[in-house]
Amino acid sequence: MNKLLTAAVAAAAGFAIVGEAAATEWNVSVWGKRRAFTEHVEKLAELVSEKTGGAFTMNVSYGGLSKPRENLDGISIGAFEMAQFCAGYHRDKNPSITVLELPFLGVQNLEEEVAVSHAVYAHPSAAKDLARWNAKLLMTSPMPQYNLVGTGDPRDQLAEFDGMRVRATGGLGKAFEAVGGVPTSVPATEAYNAMESGVVDTVAFAQHAHLSFGTINKADWWTANLNPGTVNCPVVVNTDAYEALSDSEREALDSSVDEAIAHYLENYGKLLTKWDSVLAEKGVEKVMISEEELAAFRAKAADPIREQWIKDMEAQGIPGQELYDLVMTTLENTRAGN
């Protein structure tokens, strides 16, 4: 009887070990702190766990796994299974998706940003780019048009951008450079210190980042309508980890993307509606730039930078014109559908 009982206990223990081994646990590398920019990642983890009864879980780490600029490298070697990064952090590693960071694309809202991002992510060229890093594009982190916060007197004329030291990455950095600005691409987590120490005069961020990284607390003014463009920050997964998922786990992940994005848009919308009250609370002046100044900015930054980007991409064997046209067509179709 004791032998039978021992055998049964051993069998049960063995079954439990197998059951535990069968559970899937992913590590997810993001940075900063939980904020509007990461809400879709948090929601995705919640949905996947619910759909799999807790058999597939995600541990979201805020800076504990990697530095922001090294997330794609970490994905490439399988140091973690999912990560968020911004294209402008390393344009040479993901050239195709930098089309989404070109200045003055004319994207008007977050829904349009989702549409153009996912259209480009689905393009073979973008998939090929990220495949070099063993990465699969999963979803975007849609952000509104960037605007500046700055110290001292407001800069509301293009001539005042000459010599302006600005924290801006990717295509935004190129845009400010075109009008005499001096861009620096310090990571978002270092922007406050750069502003506090005087390394930069201004910082270009979306609203959530000005809040999360504290730059709004150093600001005297904010440009309400400069809207030169935005940065593109995908969420990617390690390809090997994705392919190792069971069919049901993969379905749980893929089917949760749209709902996670919808949650992100709803949450971000709440932030945008209270932005004016945030400015008032912190005593930050809201600066409106004239249409004449904006037109001059677009003339110097939009067409020349876009044409040079297309030329550079085509020289690398990347269909730059096709990718740009895809963005424009997607914008047209999205607006027609609405």
Side-chain angles (χ1 to χ4, degrees):
M1 182 68 178
N2 288 338
K3 290 182 179 179
L4 290 173
L5 184 59
T6 301
V9 170
F15 179 81
I17 292 170
V18 170
E20 289 177 6
T24 299
E25 186 175 350
W26 274 15
N27 289 315
V28 184
S29 181
V30 296
W31 63 89
K33 60 183 180 180
R34 183 168 178 172
R35 58 202 188 281
F37 180 66
T38 60
E39 275 305 300
H40 57 332
V41 177
E42 295 282 358
K43 186 65 174 180
L44 188 74
E46 176 188 320
L47 291 169
V48 166
S49 180
E50 287 178 358
K51 291 179 180 181
T52 61
F56 182 7
T57 57
M58 298 177 181
N59 301 317
V60 183
S61 173
Y62 288 86
L65 298 173
S66 174
K67 296 178 180 179
R69 292 179 182 275
E70 297 171 5
N71 270 345
L72 189 54
D73 297 298
I75 283 289
S76 72
I77 62 174
F80 33 82
E81 290 78 18
M82 182 183 291
Q84 193 175 30
F85 68 87
C86 295
Y89 283 168
H90 34 59
R91 298 167 61 80
D92 57 323
K93 293 181 179 179
N94 40 243
S96 294
I97 62 175
T98 61
V99 64
L100 296 161
E101 295 191 339
L102 288 174
F104 297 108
L105 285 175
V107 177
Q108 296 175 352
N109 53 52
L110 294 180
E111 288 79 7
E112 290 182 0
E113 185 66 30
V114 172
V116 295
S117 293
H118 287 176
V120 170
Y121 292 177
H123 191 280
S125 182
K128 183 180 178 181
D129 260 358
L130 274 297
R132 295 179 299 153
W133 308 101
N134 203 24
K136 171 182 169 58
L137 289 154
L138 185 68
M139 62 180 177
T140 189
S141 308
M143 284 185 285
Q145 294 290 292
Y146 270 36
N147 273 285
L148 296 176
V149 299
T151 55
D153 294 332
R155 298 175 189 255
D156 57 3
Q157 295 184 14
L158 208 59
E160 295 168 338
F161 289 178
D162 189 22
M164 179 181 72
R165 295 166 299 168
V166 55
R167 186 276 176 189
T169 63
L172 289 179
K174 293 284 188 184
F176 287 114
E177 190 173 32
V179 292
V182 183
T184 179
S185 60
V186 298
T189 50
E190 299 173 18
Y192 178 89
N193 289 339
M195 197 173 182
E196 184 177 45
S197 64
V199 171
V200 298
D201 308 307
T202 58
V203 172
F205 270 155
Q207 286 91 327
H208 79 275
H210 282 308
L211 284 172
S212 296
F213 297 110
T215 49
I216 195 68
N217 299 320
K218 296 295 295 182
D220 295 317
W221 50 270
W222 175 76
T223 58
N225 66 331
L226 186 61
N227 298 337
T230 189
V231 300
N232 192 262
C233 301
V235 175
V236 296
V237 298
N238 173 275
T239 303
D240 294 334
Y242 179 81
E243 293 178 349
L245 294 175
S246 67
D247 290 344
S248 60
E249 290 170 337
R250 196 176 302 111
E251 168 61 22
L253 176 63
D254 292 344
S255 67
S256 297
V257 168
D258 287 346
E259 190 173 347
I261 289 288
H263 171 76
Y264 179 109
L265 295 177
E266 180 183 3
N267 183 73
Y268 211 115
K270 293 175 182 177
L271 184 154
L272 293 178
T273 58
K274 67 178 184 180
W275 182 247
D276 281 350
S277 64
V278 170
L279 296 177
E281 174 192 330
K282 296 182 179 294
V284 177
E285 181 181 351
K286 186 176 179 179
V287 175
M288 296 294 292
I289 298 174
S290 71
E291 182 53 43
E292 290 77 14
E293 294 294 322
L294 291 174
F297 194 1
R298 287 191 289 266
K300 288 191 174 183
D303 292 349
I305 290 175
R306 180 186 70 245
E307 291 168 6
Q308 186 61 51
W309 182 87
I310 291 172
K311 182 179 178 180
D312 291 345
M313 292 301 106
E314 299 286 349
Q316 298 176 51
I318 296 170
Q321 186 67 57
E322 183 178 324
L323 287 165
Y324 176 76
D325 291 344
L326 174 62
V327 172
M328 294 298 104
T329 301
T330 301
L331 278 177
E332 291 176 10
N333 293 341
T334 301
R335 289 165 186 169
N338 291 336

